[in-house]
Amino acid sequence: MAVQPVILEARNLVKEYESDGRVARVVDEVSFAIRAGETLGLVGESGSGKSTVARMVLGLLQPTSGQVLFRGEPLPPLSSGRMRELRRQMQIVFQDPYAALNPRMTVRRILEEPFAIHGEKPAGGLTARLRELLRCVELDESALPRYPHEFSGGQRQRINIARALALNPGLLVLDEPVSALDVSVGAQVINLLRELQRSLGLTYLFISHSMPLVRYLCDRVAVMQHGRLVELGACVEVCDHPQNPYTQQLIAATPEAPARAAPA
């Protein structure tokens, strides 16, 4: 099998904040790479720095030092026009499906927004594209005139995913996308994400505190503790034979993970 190109690379990322004359380093020399079509799990407890890494990767937060490369190109300054163009190719699905949607906007307006911001006109027409996005996340076009409060949590997260897919990005950052959902609903969303990856050729950075979820969804895993990367490797290998004591604690504290199913 041909080796896929690296789509995203983090090189020695550092993020520091200063308060009352003291400097706190929340991300400390973090490096990893993700190949096209791969899912890398970034796992750790709350406060480990994983969400800060995600925001630096997306160009939403400037590193104190270090570099992020997307398709081999260093991310430009946050305010540049080039950064705006790159954001079409890198999208995020947030943790809270309730807070991520504007309650005053219909689903139609929510899904139209990315096209309006980037001046994009879908070849087959905007309405046809919106219907296609809803089909991708297994929702009916009858959702278009409705408001977020009319949907369940799982349905709202599907709408968030549809919005993230609007401009055909290559990379999705999934920031604990099912932690606010019931277990059964979250499992359905995870299976949807796996199917979308297969059908659309997506690359994922999956942020989580759950080793079972990471094992089920991811190809490789990077374990963070106190801002540092303490273990990185193939997901099954790390889960079955963890080398770092912190990784061992994470696995011991959660139920046994389901085996990763073979691609269909």
Side-chain angles (χ1 to χ4, degrees):
M1 181 181 294
V3 176
Q4 294 298 314
V6 171
I7 190 171
L8 179 78
E9 185 177 3
R11 294 181 178 174
N12 304 314
L13 289 182
V14 172
K15 186 60 183 178
E16 297 177 338
Y17 292 100
E18 186 173 350
S19 177
D20 299 325
R22 303 180 66 179
V23 175
R25 179 170 287 197
V26 297
V27 174
D28 190 2
E29 298 287 343
V30 168
S31 298
F32 58 82
I34 311 176
R35 294 190 178 275
E38 181 182 40
T39 299
L40 175 69
L42 192 59
V43 65
E45 296 174 305
S46 296
S48 63
K50 57 189 186 297
S51 290
T52 302
V53 169
R55 280 154 178 76
M56 288 191 286
V57 160
L58 287 166
L60 300 175
L61 193 62
Q62 187 72 48
T64 302
S65 64
Q67 193 176 50
V68 177
L69 293 88
F70 184 72
R71 301 189 191 278
E73 176 184 351
L75 292 192
L78 305 188
S79 59
S80 71
R82 179 58 182 151
M83 189 66 240
R84 181 175 175 176
E85 293 176 17
L86 286 176
R87 285 202 178 109
R88 296 164 55 100
Q89 304 175 50
M90 302 185 293
Q91 292 292 316
I92 185 168
V93 177
F94 292 102
Q95 176 179 357
D96 189 346
Y98 298 90
L101 299 176
N102 187 331
R104 299 182 179 180
M105 295 173 65
T106 63
V107 171
R108 175 182 287 276
R109 287 188 60 200
I110 288 168
L111 297 183
E112 286 176 345
E113 196 171 34
F115 300 99
I117 290 172
H118 291 277
E120 179 89 5
K121 294 184 178 179
L126 184 55
T127 297
R129 177 60 177 155
L130 301 187
R131 290 170 178 164
E132 180 184 10
L133 288 170
L134 289 174
R135 285 196 297 271
C136 282
V137 297
E138 300 174 356
L139 291 176
D140 190 81
E141 65 180 87
S142 62
L144 288 173
R146 297 163 63 190
Y147 289 85
H149 73 268
E150 300 179 66
F151 297 92
S152 68
Q155 289 171 327
R156 292 186 200 194
Q157 197 62 300
R158 289 170 187 265
I159 294 167
N160 281 319
I161 295 168
R163 178 176 58 186
L165 294 175
L167 299 176
N168 297 310
L171 173 72
L172 286 190
V173 174
L174 307 167
D175 191 1
E176 304 215 36
V178 298
S179 63
L181 304 176
D182 292 340
V183 173
S184 61
V185 174
Q188 294 170 15
V189 172
I190 289 295
N191 286 330
L192 171 67
L193 288 168
R194 289 188 65 187
E195 179 55 36
L196 288 171
Q197 183 175 44
R198 285 196 290 262
S199 60
L200 301 178
L202 296 167
T203 303
Y204 291 155
L205 175 60
F206 182 69
I207 314 297
S208 182
H209 63 273
S210 169
M211 289 300 289
L213 273 182
V214 166
R215 174 167 182 157
Y216 181 70
L217 185 66
C218 301
D219 301 293
R220 291 187 303 124
V221 59
V223 182
M224 288 192 68
Q225 181 187 29
H226 303 317
R228 297 186 64 86
L229 207 60
V230 298
E231 192 154 1
L232 174 66
C235 202
V236 172
E237 183 64 25
V238 170
C239 288
D240 287 349
H241 307 288
Q243 301 300 306
N244 187 272
Y246 176 69
T247 309
Q248 295 169 5
Q249 292 172 17
L250 280 180
I251 294 171
T254 53
E256 185 177 351
R260 181 177 169 88

